[in-house]
Amino acid sequence: MEKAEYDLIVVGAGPAGAACAITASRSGANVLLLEKDKLPRHKVCGEFVSPESLGLLGSLVGKTRFASSPKISSARIFDASKIICLPIEPAGLSIPRFDLDAALLQAARDSGVHVIERAPVNEVSSDELFRVRTTIASIDQIYSARVVVNASGRWSQLTQFPHDNEKWIGLKAHFREADPPDSVDLYFFDGGYCGVQTVGANTINVSVMVRADTARSLEEAFSKQPELRRRSRDWEPLFTPITTSPLYFRKPETRDGGMFLAGDAAGFIDPFAGDGISLALHSGELAAVSIAGFLQGKCTLEQALQQYHAHYSKRLAPAFRNAARVRRLLSAPSFVRSILLSIVGTKPFAKALVRRTRLKTEYP
């Protein structure tokens, strides 16, 4: 039998791919991590790291790496004239994706992972081994491995899923703001919402998810909500806004053509839930743990895929279902939304709402 060049090839070096590569390499696997871009770079992201993933993040990059990051202990929902406060206990952290991706990529290299950037993957085929075709400096390269994890994001070229009829877009930028609060603030309006969160040093991350027929720029989105419009008047932009589309929702999938799917390639959760980064980190770790048994000869690849699906379904999938229910609530007409948020704002409902959109895992 032909010998594989690598035990594992991971496609995509975001939080899911990096977590998978680091975990697998530390367990003794020979890992190749392919990333189509040069990292780090700014990405459309809420930049909230929820409390249930802080222990895992610390184990990947070092417990003190983000010790000075702003702690986020509450969420505030602004809708028309109402402000609803939700507790986040224990507190999460605010970490810019630029910094997070840089730390994870360095940790991967330090863990012995072979990292190649600017290496878009064009095709994955399999017989006895997986063969991954990529282009590096305009030259086609083919690498072989016993296992492949697709963590290349929600627009993966390797896995195609049907899009929703509605087109949603994401927008993001950092702004200067004097003394921002230590909360994540969500401003809802018909056709979308905007999240605002401190990232330290009088700087805020502003991210918007909006229907394309409602707004196509941050300024347009700001104008849709009175309190947000007032707050944004004094903001000083720190870089040119970035956009991403399409954003669409579907039931999570854990496998495709024998490949493991992790992060947004497996499923895209509603950003307001604040669990996107956590889902990516945990799905990457779960994939690596499941793969270890196969690489060690303890199970077949099919059994490893089934184990990953079972753990994903138990620990991660409930967050998708509950976030979808909340999305339907928040997408209701404004007068209905106002009534429902008044109920949600009571203490028992507020705690239950936050709890049900969290992952099924232990806090650190």
Side-chain angles (χ1 to χ4, degrees):
M1 179 183 294
E2 179 186 354
K3 183 176 176 60
E5 295 174 89
Y6 294 92
D7 294 318
L8 167 64
I9 294 177
V10 180
V11 182
C20 180
I22 294 167
T23 304
S25 184
R26 289 177 179 174
S27 71
N30 183 18
V31 182
L32 172 64
L33 179 58
L34 298 172
E35 167 57 43
K36 67 182 179 66
D37 295 311
K38 176 66 178 175
L39 296 182
R41 63 187 181 91
H42 290 292
K43 297 192 71 174
V44 177
C45 178
E47 303 187 336
F48 174 79
V49 183
S50 53
E52 65 272 12
S53 63
L54 295 180
L56 173 56
L57 179 60
S59 72
L60 295 171
V61 303
K63 295 186 181 301
T64 62
R65 177 63 179 81
F66 293 111
S68 61
S69 297
K71 291 180 171 57
I72 305 299
S73 58
S74 65
R76 299 189 299 175
I77 297 177
F78 294 78
D79 182 74
S81 60
K82 288 184 171 57
I83 302 176
I84 308 299
C85 293
L86 306 177
I88 300 175
E89 300 171 345
L93 291 183
S94 179
I95 304 175
R97 273 298 298 273
F98 192 94
D99 299 336
L100 179 65
D101 287 353
L104 286 167
L105 198 62
Q106 185 59 52
R109 290 191 171 101
D110 292 344
S111 299
V113 176
H114 181 196
V115 178
I116 304 178
E117 298 175 84
R118 296 195 176 109
V121 170
N122 307 311
E123 182 183 21
V124 176
S125 59
S126 65
D127 38 52
E128 292 181 343
L129 300 175
F130 287 90
R131 287 178 172 78
V132 178
R133 183 169 62 85
T134 183
T135 303
I136 303 172
S138 302
I139 300 174
D140 282 351
Q141 301 280 355
I142 297 177
Y143 299 97
S144 62
R146 298 176 64 191
V147 192
V148 171
V149 171
N150 178 6
S152 59
R154 53 188 174 272
W155 317 279
S156 172
Q157 298 298 311
L158 310 179
T159 306
Q160 298 298 323
F161 297 100
H163 291 202
D164 292 340
N165 291 328
E166 284 187 329
K167 182 179 180 182
W168 292 80
I169 61 176
L171 307 104
K172 174 241 181 103
H174 282 182
F175 293 84
R176 187 80 64 197
E177 181 183 64
D179 299 319
D182 60 354
S183 59
V184 54
D185 297 337
L186 301 173
Y187 297 85
F188 285 89
F189 49 85
D190 291 340
Y193 63 92
C194 174
V196 181
Q197 176 183 294
T198 180
V199 291
N202 289 332
T203 300
I204 55 173
N205 176 57
V206 177
S207 54
V208 167
M209 180 174 152
V210 64
R211 283 204 317 262
D213 60 355
T214 298
R216 288 183 172 271
S217 70
L218 287 176
E219 290 73 19
E220 281 187 275
F222 297 162
S223 71
K224 302 296 180 180
Q225 212 281 346
E227 182 60 32
L228 177 61
R229 183 170 61 247
R230 286 192 292 271
R231 181 176 177 180
S232 65
R233 286 172 183 164
D234 297 327
W235 288 348
E236 176 190 346
L238 298 179
F239 59 76
T240 302
I242 54 177
T243 64
T244 183
S245 69
L247 306 179
Y248 60 95
F249 306 99
R250 57 173 171 79
K251 182 180 178 181
E253 301 285 349
T254 59
R255 61 190 291 176
D256 180 70
M259 293 185 295
F260 290 73
L261 302 179
D264 283 353
F268 176 59
I269 194 169
D270 301 74
F272 69 80
D275 254 340
I277 292 175
S278 287
L279 282 164
L281 293 170
H282 281 284
S283 63
E285 181 202 33
L286 281 177
V289 169
S290 300
I291 288 166
F294 167 66
L295 294 178
Q296 295 164 9
K298 297 177 181 178
C299 65
T300 65
L301 179 60
E302 176 60 29
Q303 289 170 331
L305 285 161
Q306 291 176 2
Q307 178 183 320
Y308 175 56
H309 178 77
H311 287 310
Y312 192 106
S313 298
K314 180 179 180 180
R315 293 178 56 186
L316 309 186
F320 286 89
R321 293 193 294 271
N322 293 324
R325 295 187 184 109
V326 177
R327 174 174 18 107
R328 288 191 287 271
L329 179 157
L330 297 173
S331 299
S334 56
F335 73 94
V336 176
R337 189 170 65 235
S338 180
I339 295 172
L340 293 173
L341 285 175
S342 295
I343 299 172
V344 169
T346 63
K347 189 172 183 179
F349 280 93
K351 287 188 174 181
L353 177 64
V354 173
R355 185 175 63 251
R356 289 182 67 83
T357 56
R358 302 268 69 87
L359 306 187
K360 302 296 183 181
T361 185
E362 294 291 329
Y363 286 125

